[in-house]
Amino acid sequence: GKGKGVIKAKPKEKKTTQQRNKEARRKILEEELRERRAEKAFNKAINTLPEILKEFARDQASKAAQEAYDHTVQVAKRRDEEKGDLGAHPTRIGRSAFKEAPLQVPLPGDLEESQGSLRRLRLGDAVGASGGSAAVMERTASIHRRALIEPPSQKQKKKVGAAERLKRRQELRAAGAPRWF
């Protein structure tokens, strides 16, 4: 019917003078309490200022010492790189450390295939890589050596090796090699 869902406001009761005075006194007390708390916090902050300054000085000193250490390490690393001594400071990112591959040089048999000239010898053939991938492999090794990215784990290397072996088998089979190979 009528008036369903309509909420009627209750008429406000009038406050007496005594109630108004009591509220005014309470507001004044609350304001004074708030001011005292703020003053107390301010005084506490001022009293802890020497301690904060000491802590700041300690932080600055440790930061300066760390920067000096980092600089000396960087200078030593740069000096070692200039000397060619890259293995002096092994760096590790992640689980596996970078292991330098053994130096591979072209053998006399490789030179015979290229008609005895080092200039005609393809770099990939000399180091066992296919085509022009030797430059990519060397660049990747350089990035791992300088610890810019994480070197691949042994598992990843095995997967790559298995894929290469499979590819070689397929090429040999396509060339007419026996099935067992």
Side-chain angles (χ1 to χ4, degrees), residues 1 15 35-36 44 68 73 76 82 135 140 149 155 160 175 179:
K15 292 184 181 179
E35 286 175 5
R36 272 191 262 139
K44 188 176 181 182
V73 167
E82 288 172 1
T140 307
I149 60 173
K155 281 186 177 180
V160 170
R179 182 78 175 148

Side-chain angles (χ1 to χ4, degrees), residues 21-32:
N21 289 342
K22 188 176 182 181
E23 279 184 19
R25 283 193 304 271
R26 186 180 49 83
K27 283 183 180 180
I28 291 171
L29 285 174
E30 284 177 359
E31 185 63 32
E32 287 176 1

Side-chain angles (χ1 to χ4, degrees), residues 20-178:
R20 286 194 184 107
N21 289 342
K22 188 176 182 181
E23 279 184 19
R25 283 193 304 271
R26 186 180 49 83
K27 283 183 180 180
I28 291 171
L29 285 174
E30 284 177 359
E31 185 63 32
E32 287 176 1
L33 183 63
R34 203 174 303 121
E35 286 175 5
R36 272 191 262 139
R37 285 181 182 162
E39 187 176 341
K40 190 175 180 180
F42 181 73
N43 288 336
K44 188 176 181 182
I46 289 176
N47 291 337
T48 60
L49 190 60
E51 190 177 310
I52 291 171
L53 289 173
K54 285 179 186 176
E55 184 179 341
F56 180 73
R58 279 194 307 264
D59 289 347
Q60 289 297 322
S62 69
K63 186 177 179 182
Q66 182 65 38
E67 286 176 358
Y69 173 76
D70 290 345
H71 179 70
T72 56
V73 167
Q74 191 176 23
V75 167
K77 196 173 185 180
R78 202 174 298 132
R79 190 174 357 134
D80 289 343
E81 283 179 358
E82 288 172 1
K83 286 182 192 176
D85 186 18
L86 296 174
H89 303 285
T91 52
R92 175 185 283 203
I93 308 176
R95 291 185 179 188
S96 56
F98 175 73
K99 293 177 184 162
E100 191 70 44
L103 184 63
Q104 295 182 347
V105 294
L107 301 172
D110 296 329
L111 290 175
E112 289 172 6
E113 292 173 8
S114 64
Q115 299 166 354
S117 171
L118 277 174
R119 290 176 185 252
R120 291 186 187 153
L121 179 67
R122 288 197 328 210
L123 184 62
D125 294 339
V127 294
S130 59
S133 64
V136 174
M137 288 169 43
E138 180 59 34
R139 179 75 172 159
T140 307
S142 171
I143 291 171
H144 292 311
R145 185 182 309 114
R146 291 179 286 152
L148 299 178
I149 60 173
E150 181 179 350
S153 67
Q154 293 299 322
K155 281 186 177 180
Q156 290 173 330
K157 287 181 182 178
K158 285 180 182 177
K159 285 181 184 177
V160 170
E164 288 176 357
R165 284 192 302 274
L166 179 66
K167 185 178 176 184
R168 270 188 263 136
R169 272 195 209 124
Q170 289 173 347
E171 288 173 358
L172 287 172
R173 285 182 185 155

